[in-house]
Amino acid sequence: MPKNCNFIEKLREVGLRPTKQRVNMCEVLFNREKTFHFTINDLVKMISEKMNQKISLATVYNTVHAFEKKGYLKEISIDSHKSYFDTNTSAHHHFFDEDTNELIDCDENDIDPVNIKKNITGKKINSVEVLIKVASDNHNQK
Amino acid sequence: MPKNCNFIEKLREVGLRPTKQRVNMCEVLFNREKTFHFTINDLVKMISEKMNQKISLATVYNTVHAFEKKGYLKEISIDSHKSYFDTNTSAHHHFFDEDTNELIDCDENDIDPVNIKKNITGKKINSVEVLIKVASDNHNQK
DNA sequence: AACTACATTATAATAATTCTAAACTATTGA
DNA sequence: TCAATAGTTTAGAATTATTATAATGTAGTT
């Protein structure tokens, strides 16, 4: 039984057809020890290498968005020019290293739960995200 | 003495030439009771109306970025397609209403200080931002 | 196997932002 | 005051990121 049966089933469960491209993308994204962060460009390269052939940019966008809608991926926006996706879809926070442009997960021990004391009337909270921008002490930021 | 002397001085202090466009932009942005949030497009409209003539989009981008670099403005990125600027440059957090696409300041009473227990070695914290996405209970988000 | 619905692709279209080079303007100092 | 210069604005071109299109391909169903 090939190891990608996992992903074929997983895709079916959420109503996505297990196409060659999607299964390959699943393997690139989820068949690993630790979750990670990537940009669309990163991903295009990784999948093309894995498949040993080009994958259409449009397919990568479509599929990433399909995965995002189904809760397989989460977008993390740093500023208007830097946007990442995260394969860790659980609620968690991030450090962003402005020297290296690296996004780093906070684990539960790094930060106390955020205590929100007032809410917007008639609205429910969908997400709470903390972004901590760091840089080396001597770094000339922005 | 015209009220914009304020801004001419302010601009000089941070090393920006007080051009007509910059002084007008200052008045639109800072000559008001409360701080506010805007997009580049919002701002182009507001300035063109105030000046009663077109302002170049490039100038608005340039000037917003100049103000941002000098600490007059702060960018708030919601996701890869929604980016706002904030005339409130003090450290504070935001609610984002996904129904109306409205960005709302948290005041100090709305949220306890974020307690970060571990830092990245050799790095100092430049900013800590909390974004709380809200929507009406029955709203079908994303 | 054949049908249908959905997916992928290359390419075109769109949108947002930045670049360019010419014209313009604030500042400096003679 | 006036010219020199350094920085600014502008329209439009270029670039970049993303989405739309329409033809072709593929998975699921009968």
Side-chain angles (χ1 to χ4, degrees), chain B residues 5-136:
Chain B
C5 274
N6 262 342
F7 295 124
I8 291 177
E9 271 321 303
K10 240 181 143 108
L11 287 167
R12 280 217 179 86
E13 274 163 26
V14 296
L16 293 175
R17 285 194 180 174
T19 61
K20 187 177 49 152
Q21 290 83 351
R22 283 175 180 161
V23 173
N24 273 293
M25 195 175 297
C26 277
E27 290 182 352
V28 168
L29 293 176
F30 308 116
N31 200 19
R32 51 176 74 222
E33 281 300 308
K34 293 170 69 94
T35 60
F36 78 119
H37 308 109
F38 62 92
T39 65
I40 296 284
N41 274 335
D42 294 339
L43 191 55
V44 171
K45 275 189 218 133
M46 295 171 86
I47 295 167
S48 296
E49 278 166 21
K50 176 181 173 49
M51 298 177 75
N52 249 22
Q53 57 178 309
K54 288 275 146 281
I55 185 170
S56 165
L57 193 53
T59 299
V60 177
Y61 274 103
N62 288 342
T63 306
V64 164
H65 289 149
F67 285 179
E68 189 190 4
K69 201 179 319 185
K70 297 303 185 180
Y72 282 17
L73 294 174
K74 212 167 58 165
E75 190 187 9
I76 312 292
S77 182
I78 305 301
D79 63 37
S80 53
H81 285 165
K82 299 194 200 78
S83 178
Y84 295 80
F85 288 90
D86 195 341
T87 62
N88 179 355
T89 57
S90 67
H92 67 287
H93 305 306
H94 292 94
F95 293 101
F96 180 72
D97 185 332
E98 296 184 313
D99 299 323
T100 61
N101 277 358
E102 200 185 355
L103 194 61
I104 301 156
D105 280 354
C106 291
D107 74 34
E108 291 173 28
N109 304 320
D110 294 342
I111 185 168
D112 280 338
V114 176
N115 184 27
I116 299 159
K117 293 187 284 184
K118 209 185 78 184
N119 202 349
I120 307 286
T121 313
K123 306 277 172 174
K124 78 171 208 300
I125 293 177
N126 281 334
S127 67
V128 178
E129 309 222 333
V130 182
L131 183 65
I132 304 160
K133 291 184 181 170
V134 304
S136 64

Side-chain angles (χ1 to χ4, degrees), chain A residues 12 17-19 57-58 61 65:
Chain A
R12 282 218 178 88
R17 284 193 180 174
T19 61
L57 192 53
Y61 274 103
H65 291 148

